Amino acid sequence: MRIDVWSDIACPWCFIGKRRFEAALDAFVHRDEVDVEWHSFQLDPTLPTRADGSEADYLSRSKGMALDQVEQMFRHVEAQAAGEGLRFDFDSVVVANSFTAHRLLQLAKAQGVGGEAKEALLSGHFEQGRDISDHDYLAEVGQAVGIDPALVRRVLDSDEFVAEVEADIAEARALGIGGVPFFVIDRRYGISGAQPSAVFAEALETSWQESGKLSVLAGDPSGSDSTGGAACGPEGCD
């Protein structure tokens, strides 16, 4: 079984959804026969490489939300993250364009450590206040997952893996994916949003036993979800 996951590094529900999905996958009887591939997606490609101000300032300004509303949203997401063993710290989040970090993820995927790099970058962004656009930090992440930091710097100083990031985003668009995280199981079934682990577990069992065309088992690929699986889309996060 193959599972393709589209997500952005600068997406809180993508980290929460990753944990919930992994919990279901770890309990799946056929876990050793499942391959997971992470794909690039950008919620806000218009961001400068590094933006001034806090995450709260950025969301208030870009989404037209009052600061107290943003802070309330942060506390809710932090509580959801804590339920999955994550320690989000929105006050320390560095607002930065994620495209360069996605290029590192593509390099990591080519080296067979895409999942490890994805985990490190999500944690760095939401838990550690690291700058995901900074080449020094990305070289540090590369080294931590077994990639020569000199290779990371050489790649990031070139245009390598730009085409791969753009191809992932184009494929998401072709599938009608407008919000992330989005999970596609065996190119047959789609799951939108950070659904509860039980939803992922049921989808894994269903896909293992059945075949057919891609249908959304849970959530809405556009990013608008009313079933409890929160997601982030171009207009913001649930």
Side-chain angles (χ1 to χ4, degrees):
M1 179 185 291
R2 169 172 163 157
I3 301 175
D4 295 275
V5 188
W6 275 265
S7 68
D8 195 1
I9 300 155
C11 164
W13 288 112
C14 291
F15 203 1
I16 295 169
K18 182 176 184 291
R19 278 292 184 276
R20 292 174 177 174
F21 164 70
E22 288 169 341
L25 186 59
D26 286 344
F28 186 49
V29 173
H30 307 285
R31 170 67 184 88
D32 292 340
E33 299 175 72
V34 176
D35 292 322
V36 179
E37 183 166 341
W38 297 93
H39 295 275
S40 299
F41 190 94
Q42 277 201 293
L43 290 166
D44 187 358
T46 67
L47 263 177
T49 300
R50 169 76 185 271
D52 294 328
S54 67
E55 178 82 345
D57 292 334
Y58 160 68
L59 287 176
S60 177
R61 185 172 58 250
S62 63
K63 308 303 180 185
M65 301 170 64
L67 276 173
D68 60 346
Q69 183 183 3
V70 173
E71 293 294 343
Q72 183 179 11
M73 179 186 71
F74 283 172
R75 302 295 83 83
H76 169 69
V77 177
E78 286 172 350
Q80 293 294 310
E84 306 302 327
L86 302 172
R87 295 186 175 184
F88 280 16
D89 182 6
F90 282 105
D91 293 337
S92 70
V93 166
V94 176
V95 183
N97 191 294
S98 63
F99 194 90
T100 302
H102 278 295
R103 291 175 58 214
L104 170 61
L105 285 176
Q106 295 288 341
L107 168 63
K109 184 162 62 172
Q111 297 277 329
V113 289
E116 292 86 343
K118 183 73 172 182
E119 175 73 19
L121 287 168
L122 285 166
S123 178
H125 185 65
F126 287 108
E127 298 182 308
Q128 303 166 35
R130 304 301 298 269
D131 182 354
I132 59 172
S133 70
D134 181 70
H135 287 201
D136 290 337
Y137 169 60
L138 296 177
E140 178 185 323
V141 170
Q143 184 173 28
V145 300
I147 305 175
D148 184 347
L151 173 60
V152 174
R153 294 179 188 278
R154 181 182 64 76
V155 166
L156 298 183
D157 287 340
S158 71
D159 61 357
E160 290 185 67
F161 295 103
V162 167
E164 286 81 353
V165 175
E166 292 176 342
D168 273 358
I169 295 171
E171 186 176 9
R173 190 179 303 116
L175 289 172
I177 298 171
V180 288
F182 195 89
F183 304 77
V184 177
I185 305 177
D186 268 352
R187 294 290 171 168
R188 294 198 299 262
Y189 301 108
I191 302 175
S192 175
Q195 299 286 342
S197 292
V199 173
F200 288 115
E202 182 179 358
L204 290 170
E205 291 291 347
T206 299
S207 183
W208 188 263
Q209 297 174 24
E210 299 178 2
S211 62
K213 294 183 179 180
L214 173 66
S215 60
V216 178
L217 292 178
D220 182 342
S222 69
S224 175
D225 188 281
S226 61
T227 65
C232 294
E235 301 306 316
C237 296
D238 295 336

